[in-house]
Amino acid sequence: MGGKNATDAFAGFHPAKVYRTMLPNYYIGDVADLKESEITLGFRRIQQRLLEEGVFETRWSYYVQLVAWLAFLFASAIALAVTSERFAGQHIFAGFVMGFFWQQCAFLGHDVGHNGVSHVRAKDLASGLVIGNLLTGVGVNWWKHSHNVHHVMCNSVEHDPDIQHMPIFAVTPKIFRDQFGFFSSYQERDITFDAAARVLLPYQHWLYYPVMALARFNLYVQSWIRLFSKDKMPYRYHEMVANVLFLAWYITLVATMPGASTATKLGFTLMSHVVAGLLHVQICLSHFAMETYHGHAMKVVDGDDDWYRMQLRTTQDIVCHPLVDWFHGGLQFQIEHHLFPRVPRHNLRYVRSIVKAFCEEQGVVYNEQTWIEAQVQMISRMKETAVLAEKLGAGAIDISSQPIVEGFFAEG
C-alpha cells in the first residue's frame, strides 16, 4: 500500500478505537488537494449509515445457534465413527459428516479471523485457536497473515497469495507476461513457468476439482510452516499445542474406530477431506474468474487509487436463496464482505441490497452469478489460460507479442 491512499482499506479493517488510540502515533502531515471520486464518497456514506444502524454489531443469538449446529455435527461425526463395529458404510458416512463439520466450522473461523464476532481482537483470536487449530487443524496465524494480504491486494498477480498457485494453477494469462513468471511479494520468491508448470498447467481445468478435494492437506503444512517461521506472531506456542492436539484427537479417532479395516479408515480420512474441499471451491468462485492486475492494490482502475472499485472488479457474489445461506457461510456475499469486512455474517444480505442499489445508481459493475454459473465461468477461464500455457510451453508462441492477449498484460 506504499504510496497509495489507504484510508478506506484502513477503515475497513479497524474500529474507531484504533483511530483514537493508535493512528495518531503515525501522523506525519496532511495531504493537500486530495481528489476522491463520487463512488468513494458514496461508499463512505454507506459505511456511516451501516454504523448508525448498528449493522456492524453482532447478534449473539445467531452465533449461539451456529455453535449448537457445529456441536451437533461434531458429536454426530464422533458418534457415527465409534458406534459401528461391522458396517463400513457408517464409518464412511461419519467421514462425510466430519468433512461437513470442517466446512461449516471454517466459516465461523473466518468470522472470528476478521474480529467480526466479539470485535475484540484478543477474544476472537483466542476463539480462532479453538475453531481453527484445535478443531480443524488450520492455523489462525497463517490464515490471518495470508487472508489480510488477500483483502488489501485482491487479485494482484504479484501480491495476492490467493491467486498464486503455480505450478498447479495459473489463474490469469497475466502470469505469463514475460514468459518466465513473477516475483511474489508475499512468498518472497520468484514464481516461474518451470518444468512442472509446463506439464501441469495445460491440464489445470481438469485438475481443479481433484486438487480441491485434497487441498486441505496443504493447509496443515502451511500452518506449520508459518509457526516455524521467524516472523513475530501472537500465541505461537499456543497454536503449536492446539495443532498437536488436533492431530492427536483425529488420529486417535481414526485408529480406534471399532471393527474398521485399514481400507475403511483410509476411506474415512479421504471422505472427510474431500467433503471439506467444498470450502476451497467456494473460496475460488469469488475471485478466480474476476479481473486481475499487475502491481499495487487499486491499480486495476485506470491507475486511480479507488479501493471500492478495485474490490468490486475483483470479486463476485453467489446468488442463492436465503434458505441456503447456511451452506455458503457468508462467502456468497463476497463483495459486501470485501467492502466492509467487519460486518457480521448475518447482516451481509441486508448490506447487499444497499450496495447493489448504489452500484446500479452509479453504473458500477456488480458481479453476481449462481453457484453453477460461477463454476462454469471459472473452469472456462482456467481452460483459456491452460491453452496459452500449453502453447507457451511448446514454444509455439511468444506470448508477449500476441495482440489477442495484449489487453491482459496492460498495467492497470
Side-chain angles (χ1 to χ4, degrees), residues 51-313:
L51 286 166
E52 293 173 354
E53 293 181 357
V55 176
F56 283 85
E57 300 303 317
T58 297
R59 188 173 75 246
W60 285 104
S61 60
Y62 174 86
Y63 281 101
V64 169
Q65 295 174 44
L66 180 58
V67 169
W69 165 241
L70 293 175
F72 168 76
L73 289 176
F74 188 55
S76 298
I78 299 295
L80 288 166
V82 302
T83 58
S84 175
E85 296 185 5
R86 299 179 180 179
F87 186 39
Q90 181 172 323
H91 289 138
I92 301 302
F93 183 63
F96 177 92
V97 178
M98 182 64 75
F100 190 48
F101 164 73
W102 285 340
Q103 183 247 9
Q104 290 287 296
C105 208
F107 300 140
L108 179 56
H110 181 251
D111 293 345
V112 299
H114 278 287
N115 302 329
V117 179
S118 74
H119 306 290
V120 178
R121 183 174 181 273
K123 291 182 180 179
D124 281 341
L125 191 56
S127 299
L129 289 174
V130 176
I131 299 163
N133 299 76
L134 179 60
L135 293 178
T136 71
V138 178
V140 65
N141 264 306
W142 166 78
W143 183 87
K144 287 177 74 72
H145 184 248
S146 170
H147 194 70
N148 288 344
V149 174
H150 158 68
H151 265 263
V152 176
M153 304 289 190
C154 189
N155 274 19
S156 168
V157 171
E158 291 85 3
H159 305 303
D160 184 358
D162 278 19
I163 63 168
Q164 296 176 352
H165 304 295
M166 294 271 274
I168 300 176
F169 299 140
V171 174
T172 170
K174 293 178 182 178
I175 288 174
F176 308 129
R177 179 171 61 169
D178 60 6
Q179 301 195 47
F180 295 102
F182 59 94
F183 179 79
S184 167
S185 63
Y186 177 82
Q187 301 184 39
E188 298 182 333
R189 66 180 179 90
D190 289 316
I191 296 180
T192 61
F193 187 56
D194 57 15
R198 293 173 189 272
V199 172
L200 295 172
L201 291 184
Y203 306 100
Q204 66 172 0
H205 50 302
W206 296 106
L207 293 172
Y208 175 75
Y209 289 108
V211 169
M212 292 298 102
L214 301 176
R216 188 173 192 84
F217 291 105
N218 178 57
L219 302 191
Y220 301 148
V221 174
Q222 295 302 320
S223 297
W224 279 106
I225 290 174
R226 174 68 181 162
L227 289 175
F228 281 110
S229 72
K230 296 180 181 180
D231 294 347
K232 183 179 179 181
M233 66 188 72
Y235 301 121
R236 183 195 301 268
Y237 298 109
H238 296 77
E239 279 206 43
M240 288 183 175
V241 171
N243 279 1
V244 169
L245 290 175
F246 164 78
L247 292 173
W249 75 255
Y250 184 74
I251 292 173
T252 300
L253 177 65
V254 175
T256 60
M257 285 192 299
S261 65
T262 300
T264 299
K265 293 175 181 178
L266 179 61
F268 172 92
T269 302
L270 288 176
M271 178 62 77
S272 61
H273 286 77
V274 167
V275 173
L278 279 170
L279 171 69
H280 306 293
V281 174
Q282 290 171 296
I283 293 170
C284 294
L285 291 181
S286 301
H287 301 288
F288 266 29
M290 296 296 99
E291 190 166 348
T292 58
Y293 57 100
H294 287 288
H296 296 292
M298 299 177 286
K299 206 170 184 179
V300 67
V301 188
D302 306 321
D304 293 334
D305 288 355
D306 194 320
W307 163 261
Y308 294 106
R309 280 191 292 172
M310 181 272 286
Q311 298 293 353
L312 287 165
R313 291 172 65 166

Side-chain angles (χ1 to χ4, degrees), residues 364-399:
V364 180
V365 63
Y366 184 94
N367 298 302
E368 60 176 353
Q369 295 188 90
T370 66
W371 164 263
I372 299 300
E373 290 171 343
Q375 295 193 62
V376 170
Q377 181 194 41
M378 178 181 64
I379 296 300
S380 297
R381 295 286 175 82
M382 294 184 74
K383 182 179 180 180
E384 292 173 3
T385 307
V387 171
L388 289 173
E390 183 176 22
K391 292 180 179 179
L392 181 61
I397 61 170
D398 176 1
I399 198 167

